[in-house]
Structure formats: C-alpha cells, structure tokens
Amino acid sequence: ERVRQGERMPLRLTGLLLVGVVLPILPVTARNYFVGHDLVLIQTNGGMTFAQGNNENALGVLAEPPGISGGIASQQAEETAVASRALGRPLKPSEASRYWFRQGLGFIRAHPGDYVVLLLRKLLYSVTNREEQDNYELYYEAGQVPLLRLLVLPFSVLMGLAVFGFVRRGRQPGRRAADALALYPLSVLLTLLIFYAS
C-alpha cells in the first residue's frame, strides 16, 4: 500500500502544480475574452517583444522594428495599426501579435548569419556587468536608492562562480537537485536569447 501511495504522490503534485498555474490565469483569460472580445491567454505583446529582439535594427537589446516609435503608452495601438495596414484589414490584438511574431521569424529566416551574430550579442549582454537601458535606468535608480550602491559584486563574477560550482560538483550526491535548480537560470538565459537582453 505504501508503494502505491508513493506512486500517486507525483501525480498529486503534478495536479496541484497545474491547478496553481491555471487558477491565476483563468480570470485574466476570461477578462480578455469578455472585455476585449479576443481569446487571449494572458497578454498580446509576445509577438512584438519577439520582433523587438529579432529585426534588422536589433543589437541584442530592445530595438524597435521599422515603423514602430517605441512609445510604451501607444505601443499596442501602434503595433496593431501597422500590422492592420500591412495585412489590409482591421486586426485584433492577438492577430497583430501573430503578425509581429512572423515578422521576427521572417528576419531570422532571411538573415541567418546576422541572427547567429545577434544571438552571440544577446549572450554577451546577458552575462555582462553593464545594464542596458530599457524602460528604466538602473544607474539612475542606484543614485536615488542608496541601498542599491551596496550591491558591488558584478553579475559576471556571480555567474562565473555559479558555473564553476555547478561544474565542480560533478557526480556528487544531490546532483539531481542541483541539476533541477540549474533549470531556472538556464530558462532565464533562454528567454533573453529568444527575445532580447533586458
């Protein structure tokens, strides 16, 4: 009986995980459908974010695609208007997002060599100490919040120590837990490579 209970435990945990993921998302999806009349899981800026990191102007950090001004207050209206003009019909925000995602993929297909260089730049920006300006300026904030000035250890040093510790650990007991823990920073790095370093 104990063995059967032990076998059911992962199923219970998986079920709880799924409930924990679905419950916060469901009200947002319902609101998007009933208020915005668009079946959208959470939000519709994924396509634009992908295009901002993968276009002819991209350098590894936020770079607006051609035809987009970059104003955060007008971004959704602007990206929908540009996509609607390009496709010759009014679009819902989810359709505009798909358009911009295809634009980013089109850039990658048309310029594979440039894309490889872009990926290397994103990787470099992801592990460097310099914070690139995005929606806010970290160095300005450090001037306003004195506590931030105490964080003197550069990110590249932290990253190097983490990689060294991870590799040195080898096949020691507890390695599986360390492997699972490594999935978090790897998923963050993958996100930065897919979109852009921010």
Side-chain angles (χ1 to χ4, degrees):
E1 185 62 34
R2 257 185 215 171
V3 173
R4 287 183 187 164
Q5 285 179 341
E7 289 172 353
R8 282 182 277 188
M9 185 58 93
L11 290 176
R12 285 184 190 156
L13 291 175
T14 302
L16 287 173
L17 177 65
L18 287 174
V19 168
V21 168
V22 170
L23 278 181
I25 292 174
L26 194 58
V28 178
T29 305
R31 184 229 175 254
N32 288 339
Y33 181 75
F34 290 113
V35 175
H37 308 291
D38 199 359
L39 189 56
V40 174
L41 201 60
I42 299 174
Q43 48 75 25
T44 60
N45 71 337
M48 175 51 74
T49 304
F50 183 73
Q52 287 170 327
N54 301 284
N55 67 74
E56 61 192 52
N57 298 329
L59 298 172
V61 293
L62 176 67
E64 297 300 340
I68 298 295
S69 70
I72 194 71
S74 61
Q75 179 175 313
Q76 185 178 46
E78 190 175 322
E79 68 189 57
T80 302
V82 170
S84 294
R85 277 194 306 276
L87 296 179
R89 64 182 176 85
L91 299 177
K92 293 180 180 180
S94 62
E95 295 171 314
S97 182
R98 282 192 293 276
Y99 168 83
W100 287 109
F101 183 71
R102 286 192 301 268
Q103 291 299 108
L105 287 178
F107 165 77
I108 293 169
R109 279 193 296 269
H111 307 281
D114 292 340
Y115 181 63
V116 169
V117 171
L118 180 59
L119 281 176
L120 292 173
R121 290 180 71 113
K122 290 177 186 181
L123 181 62
L124 182 62
Y125 278 127
S126 297
V127 297
T128 189
N129 297 328
R130 173 87 182 134
E131 287 284 340
E132 292 301 318
Q133 185 173 349
D134 189 6
N135 295 336
Y136 60 91
E137 176 60 62
L138 183 66
Y139 300 103
Y140 172 78
E141 288 188 9
Q144 303 302 310
V145 182
L147 182 61
L148 292 176
R149 292 183 216 143
L150 300 177
L151 305 174
V152 294
L153 195 59
F155 176 73
S156 58
V157 172
L158 290 173
M159 178 79 157
L161 289 172
V163 169
F164 175 76
F166 186 75
V167 170
R168 190 166 190 287
R169 193 169 167 90
R171 293 286 165 211
Q172 295 176 6
R175 175 66 188 205
R176 290 179 70 186
D179 288 346
L181 187 60
L183 290 177
Y184 174 71
L186 289 176
S187 68
V188 171
L189 179 60
L190 182 61
T191 302
L192 297 175
L193 293 176
I194 290 171
F195 297 99
Y196 56 86
S198 171

